[in-house]
Amino acid sequence: MNREHNRKRLREETFDICIIGAGASGAGAALDAALRGYRVALLDRGDFASETSSRSTKLIHGGVRYLEQAIKKLDLAQLRQVRHGLAERRTVIRNAPHLAYPLPLLTPVFSWFEGMYMSVGLAMYAFFAGHDNFPQGRWLTKPEALTEMPTLTDRMHSAVLYYDGQFNDARYALALAHSADEAGVAVVNYLNVTGFERDNGRLTAAIVNDLLSDDTFPVRAKLFLNCTGPYSDAVRLMANPEAEQRIRPSKGVHIVLPRETLQSDCAMLIPKTADGRVVFAIPFGDKVFVGTTDDDYQQLDQEPVLEPAEVDYLLETLRPYLAKNPDKSDVEAGFGGIRPLIVSSRATTKTLLRDHEVEYDSASGLLSLLGGKWTTYRLMAQDAIDKAGELLNNSTPGKTENHYLVGGENYRFDDWQCIQQQTNLPTDVCQHLMRTYGNRAQRIADLASSRPELSEKISQQQPFIKAEVVYQVREEMAVTLRDVLARRWRLELSDWQLTIRVLPIVAELMARELDWSDQHRQQQINSYQSLLNTFLKRAGLTTQPANVTHL
């Protein structure tokens, strides 16, 4: 993806559809539209998936909680979400098998009745999933459960095992944007929409400010599609000040613990907390992510951060299920996201519908894709582009169901061995490259072979190598330190202290590729370090600021 080339296209061309927001739904809609033959622009005021779409629980699922509510309340809307989610689960994994895969989940139970209740519910879950080649779940005895997850409490009666999908959300969104770019979309990050031009009230151009150059220019299109998630109302009101607000933002946070917390490749589902929520403990790399919370959030101009009360809540929720109680000193990082829940008459964010809606504002001509969740991003995008086709009087069917994303076609994980034979890189590095880049891993291997200094790890604690930074700048439109460390790698999510320590190494590599001055390089380091120290302080995890000079 070449930012300058695409930016030039935005200045010169008129597009059929300009999509605002490059998270799951926006990038998915861009790819869908391009495969149907539309001329498409995709813009984001930040990096790809820099907001909600990179801060999920990393699960591709139908929604066990939705199924329970659907049955208890005879709620067909909830049941529809489950069926859509389970149907799409297979497609999400098939189209990017390097980034998404089945995940076993254990649910500890404390009585025979509870085990039977969960087993019946999960059998129904499997029934709705149909024949999708997922492994079958089962009711485990206590010894079997402890074999799968040795850290479980001895107080449990047994456990129920079932399967859902796990994925790398930020890289999946990046793969969607990258695939859209290769399908002809003009994809540009760090472009902020500040207003619209109109003709008789109808939108004809988006006024954008390039946050890297401070340049302002119009992007012209026949139709504008708003895919900005929890920020959708801001764009809707910019297009039509008379519009009613439709989004009720909800904050969800996760804490990060060492992988030893579970000592398992299985995740854990805590089916009911003291306040009626569902919490997951998910192995992800060498860490365990525990979450999520679900609370109203109105400070949309501020990044959601982990707070001490949220840390305490998640630790207290986890403790009854483990033999050894984790405490605050075990927490290594955390992350918060904002869900774009659609306004409803229901009382709390825990029960608001998360299904999506395609809204057309006849006064301005703005199309908005509201609500939804990661698992059904493709259906959301398909519905939005179906409506766009109607409005453009040029309808054509979608083609994304069987379209491999960048890195996914002909993917074979065992090809890491070929890379190792070619480069002599360590096993953990070669396996990481395959899981992260799929069939594009060879390109990083070629960089490492051509420049041996790029084969070095940035830290002995992780499998990341310097060649990846060069590739991410050249091919994946990484332009800031956080682009690399938070999203193309997921280091910020898993270890704040280590992220701070490697900043100078990554900054030096990016400076060479992007021709940064020494001053700009140091500004990037200082700004990111300050942000991470703020995260640590706000979460109550340290009293001493971490510093890059501790290298």
Side-chain angles (χ1 to χ4, degrees), residues 40 86 99 106 125 154 173 175 181-182 186 211 215 226 237 295 345 424 427 432 469 506 541 545 547:
V40 185
L86 288 171
L99 299 174
L106 280 179
Y125 194 63
D154 191 55
D181 179 274
E182 294 192 353
L211 299 179
D215 191 16
N226 171 20
L237 290 167
D295 299 291
S345 59
N424 205 31
T427 296
H432 154 71
V469 180
V506 177
L541 299 183
N547 197 301

Side-chain angles (χ1 to χ4, degrees), residues 11-12 40 44 127 139 160 217 221 280 349 411 515:
R11 284 178 167 275
E12 296 176 353
V40 185
D44 198 289
F127 171 77
W139 192 356
V160 177
F217 58 92
F280 294 92
T349 60
Y411 169 74
D515 197 26

